[in-house]
Amino acid sequence: MKGRFITFEGIDGAGKSSHVEWLAEWLRAQGKTVHVTREPGGTALGEKLRALLLNDDMHLETETLLMFAARREHLARVIEPALARGEWVVCDRFSDATYAYQGGGRGLDRSKCQILEHWVHDHVQPDLTLLFDLPLDVARERIVLANRVLDRFEQERVDFHERVRQAYLERAQHHPGRICLIDANHPLENIRQKLEQIVIERCS
Ligand code: TMP
């Protein structure tokens, strides 16, 4: 039995995280063993790196290297062992986020991301990536309504988030077999139906 690796992506406020747990429960109801995890994070060390990445000011290349350092740990200790056991991994963000945020948002040379991607996970790619997309003003409104302390990325200006969104959409164009675009501006029920349908089509 082959395990499956599904990642969730999107700009801040796209609402993807609320669908992660739901999809995992739906998969469990189909008899799968499912691990829900996230990036940056997913291991004890990764969660420490997450706290630094979300709160401390740092050089762009340091930020990128730490994202991939956390990812290496995550792959080695959680993702790869689970897939090897034939289990499913549902992960809130993965390397597409580095291309979108550090590459698109902050302007890191794409080739540097590619070098790190090859080094860290040349042999592992998600089977399916669900990219939640919606207009920036709607995403911003959701963040404001949540009324919580914003992290370093959420505090960025609108033009940063617009570049992140565009970089995600470009990745979806370049990887149509893996990345599936979800219109996140629809009612929850419609989105869930769509997720079921996509997972059945692409991961059976
Ligand atoms: P989250 O709020 O979806 O958990 O993600 C945390 C933040 O980290 C989010 O604003 C996007 C950012 N991020 C990057 O900038 N690069 C990455 O590679 C990853 C995984 C996340």
Side-chain angles (χ1 to χ4, degrees):
M1 191 177 68
K2 191 179 177 298
R4 299 284 185 188
F5 182 23
I6 301 178
T7 58
F8 280 62
E9 298 281 359
I11 55 171
D12 293 287
K16 65 183 167 41
S17 303
S18 59
H19 297 289
V20 169
E21 269 302 334
W22 175 84
L23 181 70
E25 278 309 314
W26 181 78
L27 288 168
R28 286 181 189 122
Q30 321 294 309
K32 317 285 185 206
T33 301
V34 185
H35 297 266
V36 176
T37 187
R38 68 172 178 181
E39 292 208 349
T43 63
L45 178 64
E47 291 295 324
K48 288 184 188 168
L49 293 174
R50 178 185 176 93
L52 292 175
L53 281 159
L54 266 52
N55 297 302
D56 291 30
D57 189 35
M58 62 186 78
H59 187 276
L60 169 57
E61 291 187 356
T62 311
E63 183 176 285
T64 309
L65 288 162
L66 287 181
M67 290 290 179
F68 272 102
R71 188 161 296 139
R72 187 72 205 98
E73 190 71 9
H74 196 199
L75 280 155
R77 294 190 189 271
V78 177
I79 299 173
E80 291 178 294
L83 294 175
R85 290 192 299 266
E87 297 166 0
W88 289 50
V89 176
V90 177
C91 188
D92 194 341
R93 298 195 188 279
F94 194 61
S95 289
D96 292 306
T98 319
Y99 282 95
Y101 281 80
Q102 282 64 52
R106 300 218 197 276
L108 180 83
D109 190 340
R110 201 183 131 77
S111 65
K112 289 188 173 154
C113 252
Q114 283 172 328
I115 291 167
L116 292 173
E117 184 185 12
H118 287 150
W119 184 17
V120 168
H121 63 95
D122 210 13
H123 51 301
V124 182
Q125 286 293 347
D127 296 293
L128 171 66
T129 296
L130 300 161
L131 172 56
F132 287 72
D133 182 60
L134 83 173
L136 219 70
D137 52 339
V138 183
R140 289 278 98 188
E141 202 180 301
R142 287 184 183 177
I143 291 175
V144 172
L145 283 175
N147 197 22
R148 54 179 173 71
V149 179
L150 302 185
D151 66 41
R152 224 160 54 79
F153 296 98
E154 291 167 326
Q155 284 170 25
E156 285 289 345
R157 290 162 32 150
V158 171
D159 56 327
F160 170 89
H161 292 284
E162 193 55 60
R163 290 195 299 277
V164 171
R165 183 183 183 203
Q166 291 311 319
Y168 267 135
L169 293 175
E170 276 168 33
R171 287 204 54 84
Q173 275 187 349
H174 288 129
H175 302 276
R178 171 174 66 84
I179 303 180
C180 208
L181 200 61
I182 310 284
D183 184 346
N185 211 5
H186 280 177
L188 204 71
E189 264 318 304
N190 296 18
I191 295 178
R192 288 179 177 177
Q193 270 177 11
K194 173 110 185 148
L195 295 183
E196 271 182 31
Q197 185 194 332
I198 294 168
V199 171
I200 289 168
E201 274 170 23
R202 303 222 183 180
C203 295
S204 294

